[in-house]
Amino acid sequence: MLEEVKEAFNRQSEMFDQYEEQNEILKRLRTVVRKHLLRHIKNGDRILGLNAGTGIDAIYLAENGFQVHAIDLSEGMLNKLEAKINSYGLKDKISFELLSFTELDKLCKNNFDYIFSNFGGLNCVENLSEVTKHFNKILKPEGRLTLVIMPPLSLWEIALILKGKFNPAFRRLHKNGTEANIEGIKFTTHYHSLKNLRQALGYGFQLIEVQGLASVSPPPYADKFPKHHPRLYKHLQ
Ligand SMILES: C[S@@+](CC[C@H](N)C(=O)[O-])C[C@H]1O[C@@H](n2cnc3c(N)ncnc32)[C@H](O)[C@@H]1O
């Protein structure tokens, strides 16, 4: 399954940044995540970026003075990140490594202050503890983390019942995951509840903050909504 995920995101890496540039919803959600992050990261923190993609956040964090080590499964994504590091002159602030977050025991660095995973990379794994089991070894004792994960309940999708669309309304609740199709490659995604995440993290971690992202506003794939219903979109935010 990792091979399919890798190939899907390799293909997507070509258009990833352009897609976000044209998607009002995605841009807004990233702004919300960054505000959250800036409330929790501290000056001088060394950050591990899991599933860093093309490094949109890594560049932002580095430009704000943080040291980032970015990992991703897809070399296509990391090639884009490398090009940005070179053109922004950020070699001393960002390092990167081609690695699955299920293999954090092979990381070339450790002793991080903060672990960050954005925009559902962790929804590509069925069992979150395959990732979290490594956290104690790579985080400093007072280390913190922010994980942005898509949950099993989406009010937006459940509201599709009103349109008679029952399959999409409950698609996230399938026990064995939900089929995703990225650039023609199919693989299984898994929607994780906060309870799942806390179980995977275990007792060594304390919950500091839970924040909903697009809890009642449209998800990024409903990208026409803001243009067609600007006032309603504003209210739903
Ligand atoms: C939706 S993209 C998000 C990228 C980035 N976090 C962002 O916010 O722009 C999901 C990313 O997760 C990565 N990914 C999926 N499974 C992974 C794994 N097992 N290990 C590391 N990265 C993975 C993909 O290659 C892709 O870059």
Side-chain angles (χ1 to χ4, degrees), residues 33-89:
V33 173
R34 285 177 179 173
K35 280 189 186 152
H36 171 103
L37 257 188
L38 293 179
R39 281 201 302 279
H40 294 288
I41 43 181
K42 297 178 184 156
N43 281 347
D45 272 359
R46 287 182 65 236
I47 302 167
L48 172 66
L50 304 181
N51 54 269
T54 62
I56 300 175
D57 293 316
I59 299 287
Y60 172 81
L61 289 167
E63 287 186 322
N64 279 278
F66 296 95
Q67 203 74 42
V68 184
H69 185 61
I71 69 159
D72 202 281
L73 183 68
S74 149
E75 52 270 83
M77 291 285 187
L78 290 181
N79 288 341
K80 299 283 175 195
L81 169 61
E82 185 174 22
K84 288 183 204 169
I85 295 174
N86 292 335
S87 70
Y88 289 84

Side-chain angles (χ1 to χ4, degrees), residues 2 5-6 9 12 16 20 30 50-57 71-74 77 99-102 117-121 124:
L2 275 190
V5 175
K6 189 182 176 119
F9 284 107
Q12 198 183 46
F16 193 84
E20 172 152 331
R30 202 178 287 280
L50 304 181
N51 54 269
T54 62
I56 300 175
D57 293 316
I71 69 159
D72 202 281
L73 183 68
S74 149
M77 291 285 187
L99 190 73
S100 167
F101 46 47
T102 51
S117 165
N118 203 3
F119 281 3
C124 298

Side-chain angles (χ1 to χ4, degrees), residues 152-154 156-175 177-179 191 221:
L153 278 184
S154 157
W156 183 266
E157 287 175 10
I158 287 173
L160 292 172
I161 294 173
L162 301 172
K163 289 184 161 183
K165 297 179 179 173
F166 291 91
N167 278 345
F170 298 113
R171 69 186 182 96
R172 297 182 182 215
L173 298 173
H174 293 168
K175 248 191 167 174
T178 306
E179 189 177 81
Y191 293 88
Y221 61 77

Side-chain angles (χ1 to χ4, degrees), residues 96-154:
F96 62 92
E97 188 175 352
L98 182 66
L99 190 73
S100 167
F101 46 47
T102 51
E103 296 182 324
L104 292 174
D105 50 330
K106 298 184 185 146
L107 256 186
C108 71
K109 299 190 175 191
N110 59 26
N111 230 13
F112 292 97
D113 301 284
Y114 214 99
I115 296 177
F116 174 48
S117 165
N118 203 3
F119 281 3
L122 289 171
N123 291 90
C124 298
V125 73
E126 180 172 7
N127 183 354
L128 283 174
S129 58
E130 280 183 43
V131 185
T132 56
K133 69 182 178 192
H134 303 292
F135 284 0
N136 279 326
K137 288 195 194 101
I138 54 176
L139 260 185
K140 287 184 185 167
E142 297 296 315
R144 284 144 290 130
L145 42 98
T146 290
L147 309 176
V148 180
I149 297 178
M150 293 181 284
L153 278 184
S154 157

